Amino acid sequence: MTGLKDRLRQVREHLGETQKSMSARFALGVNTWQGYERLGKLPKGETLARLLELDISVDWLLTGHGNMHLTGNRPGLDAQLLSQIIDGVLTLYAHDGLRPMPTEQGQLISRIYDRLIAIPDDRERRGALRYALEQAREDLFRAVTDGPP
């Protein structure tokens, strides 16, 4: 199975871009995309939302499951919701000083998205997102303080 950095490279090659041109295309720092590919660092929510607009499956990108393109995956992903969840999860990890594997981040993002997408009201959804992130923080804190079994 390929890792996040390999899938980011596949996306770039599919789009016919260089690392520098990907950084420019997404209004990132000049070497940011290079860092994504080299370190396997999770891009910010805005970048992932823009990839979604280009028919790139964020589920595939984060977890390796499914296809690179949305065709054949779950249709109609809500890019704004996904962006909010990704930014919330990245902030959560950064705030607590944790550096989980990108796959772990992707799985958490996917689980939260699956729970929230069924909520039609934006206000309710924002509250549910705050609650989901608080629960995730508690779970992370518990895992860190309990240590390995």
Side-chain angles (χ1 to χ4, degrees):
M1 179 181 268
T2 61
L4 175 63
K5 60 186 177 181
D6 300 310
R7 291 187 296 277
L8 288 164
R9 179 187 46 75
Q10 285 179 289
V11 167
R12 176 182 54 79
E13 290 173 350
H14 169 74
L15 295 173
E17 301 276 0
T18 66
Q19 291 174 338
K20 286 191 189 270
S21 68
M22 283 296 276
S23 288
R25 181 178 193 156
F26 293 97
L28 304 170
V30 69
N31 294 319
T32 301
W33 194 271
Q34 179 184 32
Y36 291 161
E37 287 187 30
R38 192 169 44 93
L39 303 172
K41 186 177 173 187
L42 185 66
K44 296 206 180 260
E46 182 179 319
T47 301
L48 293 173
R50 293 203 40 219
L51 285 169
L52 182 64
E53 292 169 0
L54 295 171
D55 194 41
I56 301 299
S57 168
V58 175
D59 186 36
W60 169 80
L61 186 64
L62 298 175
T63 67
H65 298 120
N67 301 311
M68 179 193 298
H69 300 283
L70 288 174
T71 310
N73 292 320
R74 61 181 150 177
L77 286 174
D78 182 327
Q80 181 180 6
L81 173 62
L82 188 59
S83 179
Q84 291 169 347
I85 294 168
I86 292 166
D87 287 342
V89 168
L90 292 176
T91 300
L92 169 76
Y93 285 125
H95 180 268
D96 292 338
L98 301 173
R99 296 182 57 86
M101 298 297 293
T103 303
E104 292 174 36
Q105 293 176 3
Q107 290 169 345
L108 176 59
I109 290 164
S110 183
R111 281 194 309 271
I112 293 172
Y113 182 89
D114 287 342
R115 277 186 260 154
L116 299 185
I117 194 61
I119 302 171
D121 181 67
D122 285 340
R123 191 167 158 200
E124 261 185 71
R125 197 183 273 177
R126 282 191 302 272
L129 174 57
R130 281 192 299 275
Y131 178 76
L133 291 171
E134 288 170 14
Q135 289 300 118
R137 174 172 274 130
E138 288 176 16
D139 292 346
L140 288 170
F141 181 73
R142 207 172 9 263
V144 170
T145 56
D146 291 347

